[in-house]
Amino acid sequence: MPIPKILHQMWRDEALPERWAALRSTWANHLPEWEHRLWTDASLREFVATCYPDFLPVYDGYGSGIMRADAARYLLLDHFGGVYADLDTECLRPLEPLLSGERLLLPLEPELHLSAKVSASAGMRRIVGNAWMASEPGHPFWKLVVAEMTQRRKNTGPLDATGPFLLTHVTHGCEQPEWRPKLLPSESVQPATNQDGEWLKAREPGSPHWYGPGTYALHYWDGTWWRKGHEQTRLFLLRSASPLVSGVLNEPKTASLAEAAGYRPLVSCLMVTGRRRELAGQAVAAFRRQTYANRELVVIDDSGNDLPPFVQDDDGGRIRWIQMPPEGKPLGALRNLALAEARGSLLCQWDDDDLSSPARLERQVMAIFASGADACGLNRLQMWWPARSRFAISSNRIWECALMWRRGTITAYPELRAGEDTPPVQELAAKGRICMLDAPTLYTYICHGQNTFSEAHWDSLWMAASQHWEESACETRLRIMQPALPVHEYLLALGLPGLSATPSLALSPRPVPAATIASVPPIRSTVSITRELPKILIATPVKDAVPFLGPFFANLLRTDYPLDKISLALLESDSRDATAAVAREHLAAHGHRLAGTRLLQRDYGFQLKGERSQPSLQRQRRTVLAQSRNTLVESALDDEAWVLWIDVDLLKWPADVLLRLLDSGHQIVCPNCVKGVYGGPSFDLNSFVFKDKALRDGPEHLLDGLYQPPAGLSRKYLDAFRDQEEVELDGVGGTMLLVEADLHRHGLRFPAMPYRGFVETEGLAQMAQDFGVTCWGLPKVEIVHP
């Protein structure tokens, strides 16, 4: 076998977290004859210094540990060969059938990852993963990888600089067929996605598993370097007579606040059942698995049968099974009986033929607590059609079956036999507020042949779904979910073949031999791979700007960013000079080099009467600026992934500033706008951090509804953080500001009226915080204002 029997894994030291030690034992269990090497930060640097001294400056220059970890794994496989596996990966069976006769194997990440914003912005059509890799020693592909890492040494984003995006670009750009890796389907070593934490955390490493013979490993996507930003769930708030407001919910923070406040209301889950006893048993099992403790299940059963055996143990009073005579009452009437029996301050629909994940109640309760909404729904959910081996993520809508609401907001259902839950939810949406979580894993909507609606209805839902899995891919989804949901039991209840479990051998941890260091010639290559970049809209308000337009266009045309990825929109207003005419001349001369250009004009009737920094002018001046910026968003934003706001009177900025802002990985980010020369004091004082977030600005500095304290009194500016790569900001300025376009599309605007005492860009920062989005500044990335 060309690939040697060596397993490489790495951690900062030899003291592994308990869970990862258990996962590592599964490799010793299934690969007992292999050499198992655990590399530490110290031994990895010694290895790089000894075997790849020319690469050591690049390695030491990386700004994060994950970049060094990425680079080191490629070098280990180049030098020693073998298999590399992240510590959050479980071995499910021996690898020899997978590796036999192969020279280089790299897995594709699941297709679902392509829909992530960071992947879509980078234009990824497939992603070559690096959490598991296998290689013979000295494979020439690694020369290309090292060369590309050297070229990208200044990139700050790990995905592009050293991670899967880089690996994907090198794979696609490899011209020699014999150098190309063999790409494995994601099901081989990472069948789950990074959105499947709900299911993965329910699995005990090393226990019997449900995966077929083509799956050799299971990646848990713990993501110690990226998971922090993914603790947030997208949230939409529907308000009566108002547009959709979008943001994110920081669930760990919300849970901590709720615990401190003692917020644990009783949740009454309401279920109506009758003829679907076997399926209702699985819905009850899903209720028993809920992580939220203060709950009850109220069941109205009009079957006329005896109490089913699965509720003999009443779970300490949590399940109240109320038997009714079989009078053929419509479903709406039975739901009203359940409403009357409920004791909780929160109520939740619990259909007898669907499945809810263990965290459903917990997360919906937290969403209501955080948003203050009248109800919480899911705007997407999972759809499963067992008989046809179909699985999907639905389209967006209010799914009545997954709703939780405050007592009193829904008081009665119409006495209909079908569709009875739609009218009260529509009425609630019209009169109240519904918080919608984008968390489709919380609810699985199932077509089983006994549904109220026809199969034609299900076909229409399937066609409109946003993501599809069929046949073997559907079965993979079920195997991933099985540790948390009774899908195997559900299949048996339908009379269909269930999933088959694969037993696992007893864990037998083996001692880890020390890694050895050997010499190898340094690697050099001139191979370069083209980077795929997202579309950008540069948006700039202009007024009395004739002296500035020439330098503005000169700076713009000197950018390192591909001009065919940039669109430019100018909005001219209230100028007393020839700004509009001169702008047209520049657009005519240079616009063909850009992806598109627009010149908008508005007349606000505003002229400054005094110095622009005068406090009494700030509200009116910045209100007009906010209106201009909002008009640019509404009129010029097309299919671009980002909006870069640039003031026309900037003196100069680095050619790579746009790449550096993008590589920060943040949704809202700005550079340090300095005065006069690079290294000067911060000019844009709207980019600030409160010295004491608890005190913020005092009411004595409130003028015309805006906080206007003396410079530096309660705030620090970016020049105070020059020793840091990035800093969280409480306010942002607009001299240069990068904003993810979807934030604007989903309602993030520049307030023209005071918002928490701030307007325009500072108001946008406050609004972004309320949406759950953090604004960032890059103190070391400087732009210059005259």
Side-chain angles (χ1 to χ4, degrees), residues 52 250-251 260 372 422 469 516 631 634:
Y52 297 86
N250 187 317
E251 297 199 50
T422 299
W469 293 267
T516 57
T631 299
E634 292 155 9

Side-chain angles (χ1 to χ4, degrees), residues 283-290 295 310-313 315 319:
V284 170
F287 172 82
R288 288 194 173 111
R289 298 187 188 194
Q290 292 298 300
R295 67 188 190 275
F310 53 80
V311 292
Q312 294 300 325
D313 176 5
D315 298 274
I319 298 177

Side-chain angles (χ1 to χ4, degrees), residues 205-221:
S207 63
H209 64 81
W210 303 82
Y211 296 93
T215 302
Y216 291 85
L218 174 61
H219 188 202
Y220 282 73
W221 300 102

Side-chain angles (χ1 to χ4, degrees), residues 149-274:
M149 288 194 295
T150 302
Q151 181 172 321
R152 299 181 181 211
R153 62 190 300 172
K154 294 184 179 179
N155 288 20
T156 57
L159 291 170
D160 279 320
T162 56
F165 288 5
L166 173 138
L167 206 59
T168 303
H169 295 320
V170 177
T171 300
H172 289 174
C174 183
E175 297 180 355
Q176 296 89 341
E178 67 276 11
W179 288 20
R180 293 175 190 155
K182 178 179 178 180
L183 299 179
L184 298 174
S186 62
E187 291 79 7
S188 59
V189 292
Q190 42 194 22
T193 76
N194 58 19
Q195 304 300 309
D196 286 329
E198 195 76 34
W199 322 121
L200 295 174
K201 64 186 178 184
R203 171 167 170 73
E204 184 68 30
S207 63
H209 64 81
W210 303 82
Y211 296 93
T215 302
Y216 291 85
L218 174 61
H219 188 202
Y220 282 73
W221 300 102
D222 285 355
T224 54
W225 67 273
W226 61 266
R227 183 61 75 176
K228 181 179 179 181
H230 289 254
E231 294 169 337
Q232 300 174 337
T233 304
R234 291 191 68 82
L235 173 150
F236 305 85
L237 189 62
L238 301 177
R239 303 179 187 221
S240 59
S242 296
L244 185 70
V245 177
S246 171
V248 293
L249 175 67
N250 187 317
E251 297 199 50
K253 181 178 179 180
T254 299
S256 176
L257 292 172
E259 183 177 0
Y263 184 75
R264 283 282 152 176
L266 175 64
V267 178
S268 295
C269 301
L270 311 181
M271 187 169 91
V272 174
T273 191

